[in-house]
């Protein structure tokens, strides 16, 4: 499915990722076009997070081809991939505990610009502050920007990771289980924030176990099982797909 585009933003071909003799990702193909919102679901151990670890360079592919905007990235390091336009969040909440929401997000903005100085920054440019302001606004954190991370509830920690990723101004945002551990009201809050990102035209690959979250937001759904893609298509056909029903 091309979304009207002839060339994908991200093209993954014949991706394998082995851990010893285990194929955590097994001959996986995926095209992501600008403006796509692709939801990836599947049971625990299906290979979902490993797949985005491969895309982001955290765990490079054993074999296969990954191309972002015409540039081969399968053998590049995570920092280089980020500077080329891919940013991500993680399942486990991460942040600099003694720093504020704004300071944490400034780290993302600085890193996203490819700042390679030998020493930590003492000042940040107006461009970085503009990126931070926009990211905090999109994640509805602007009113809590000066709070210290160690004092934040789980929801705000998840939103902080998203804000830090957005501050790099990525071409492609990878979001890994953004509503795990949240209550239904908080799930709805995150859903509205992601809808806002969609309105802004952010291209997203989204991993989530909460199916109502995944299905309501995704334009296209991929289901993985034992490292393989067993389904790719729209939400309606998913519900009647025999193999998906058997897996779940």
């Amino acid at each position: 499915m091309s979304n009207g585009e002839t060339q994908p933003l991200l093209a993954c071909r014949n991706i394998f990722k082995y851990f010893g003799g285990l194929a955590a990702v097994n001959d996986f193909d995926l095209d992501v076009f600008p403006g796509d919102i692709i939801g990836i679901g599947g049971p625990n151990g299906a290979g979902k997070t490993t797949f985005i670890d491969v895309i982001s360079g955290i765990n490079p592919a054993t074999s296969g081809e990954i191309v972002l905007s015409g540039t081969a990235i399968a053998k590049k390091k995570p920092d280089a991939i980020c500077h080329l336009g891919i940013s991500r969040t993680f399942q486990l909440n991460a942040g600099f505990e003694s720093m504020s929401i704004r300071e944490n997000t400034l780290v993302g903005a600085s890193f996203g610009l490819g700042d390679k100085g030998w020493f930590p920054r003492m000042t940040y440019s107006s461009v970085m502050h503009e990126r931070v302001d926009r990211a905090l606004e999109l994640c509805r954190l602007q009113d809590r920007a000066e709070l210290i991370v160690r004092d934040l509830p789980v929801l705000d920690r998840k939103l902080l990771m998203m804000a830090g990723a957005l501050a790099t101004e990525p071409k492609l945002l990878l979001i890994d289980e953004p509503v795990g551990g949240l209550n239904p009201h908080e799930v709805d809050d995150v859903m509205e924030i992601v809808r806002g990102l969609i309105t802004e035209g952010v291209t997203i690959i989204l991993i989530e176990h909460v199916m109502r979250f995944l299905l309501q937001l995704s334009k296209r759904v991929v289901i993985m099982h034992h490292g393989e893609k067993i389904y790719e298509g729209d939400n309606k056909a998913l519900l009647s797909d025999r193999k998906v029903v058997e897996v779940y």
Side-chain angles (χ1 to χ4, degrees), residues 28-104:
F28 198 92
D29 292 347
L30 186 68
D31 284 334
V32 182
F33 293 86
D36 261 345
I37 313 297
I38 298 177
I40 302 181
N44 286 330
K48 307 181 296 299
T49 294
T50 302
F51 175 60
I52 67 169
D53 283 348
V54 165
I55 295 173
S56 59
I58 300 295
N59 267 316
T62 304
S63 62
E65 182 181 41
I66 306 172
V67 177
L68 176 70
S69 299
T71 300
I73 65 170
K75 298 185 183 301
K76 292 187 179 296
K77 294 181 178 179
D79 58 333
I81 291 172
C82 177
H83 296 152
L84 286 169
I86 294 179
S87 193
R88 66 169 294 178
T89 69
F90 293 84
Q91 291 180 24
L92 297 178
N93 302 322
F96 298 102
E97 295 287 310
S98 63
M99 294 165 58
S100 70
I101 287 176
R102 176 174 294 279
E103 289 167 336
N104 270 265

Side-chain angles (χ1 to χ4, degrees), residues 91-224:
Q91 291 180 24
L92 297 178
N93 302 322
F96 298 102
E97 295 287 310
S98 63
M99 294 165 58
S100 70
I101 287 176
R102 176 174 294 279
E103 289 167 336
N104 270 265
T105 311
L106 272 167
V107 173
S110 175
F111 186 81
L113 286 171
D115 192 2
K116 297 180 180 178
W118 287 101
F119 300 102
R121 272 190 168 270
M122 301 302 292
T123 61
Y124 295 92
S125 68
S126 59
V127 172
M128 294 176 188
H129 282 287
E130 289 170 4
R131 287 186 173 194
V132 169
D133 289 341
R134 185 59 179 148
L136 294 179
E137 180 184 0
L138 288 170
C139 294
R140 301 182 184 179
L141 289 171
Q142 66 270 37
D143 294 336
R144 303 190 291 286
E146 305 310 321
L147 294 180
I148 302 302
V149 170
R150 63 171 169 263
D151 301 324
L152 297 180
V154 173
L155 173 60
D156 285 352
R157 284 173 172 264
K158 287 180 175 291
L159 296 179
L160 171 59
M161 278 201 300
M162 201 177 299
L166 287 169
T168 71
E169 294 194 345
K171 298 175 183 177
L172 174 62
L173 176 63
L174 312 176
I175 309 177
D176 194 357
E177 296 194 18
V179 298
L182 300 183
N183 64 42
H185 177 73
E186 291 170 332
V187 170
D188 291 339
D189 288 343
V190 178
M191 193 177 298
E192 287 306 307
I193 288 169
V194 176
R195 284 199 177 107
L197 301 182
I198 294 170
T199 301
E200 291 288 321
V202 179
T203 304
I204 296 172
I205 295 178
L206 171 70
I207 292 176
E208 189 49 68
H209 281 292
V210 179
M211 290 305 289
R212 74 175 179 92
F213 184 91
L214 190 77
L215 297 180
Q216 288 185 37
L217 290 173
S218 304
K219 295 181 180 178
R220 184 160 32 118
V221 177
V222 172
I223 301 297
M224 296 182 69

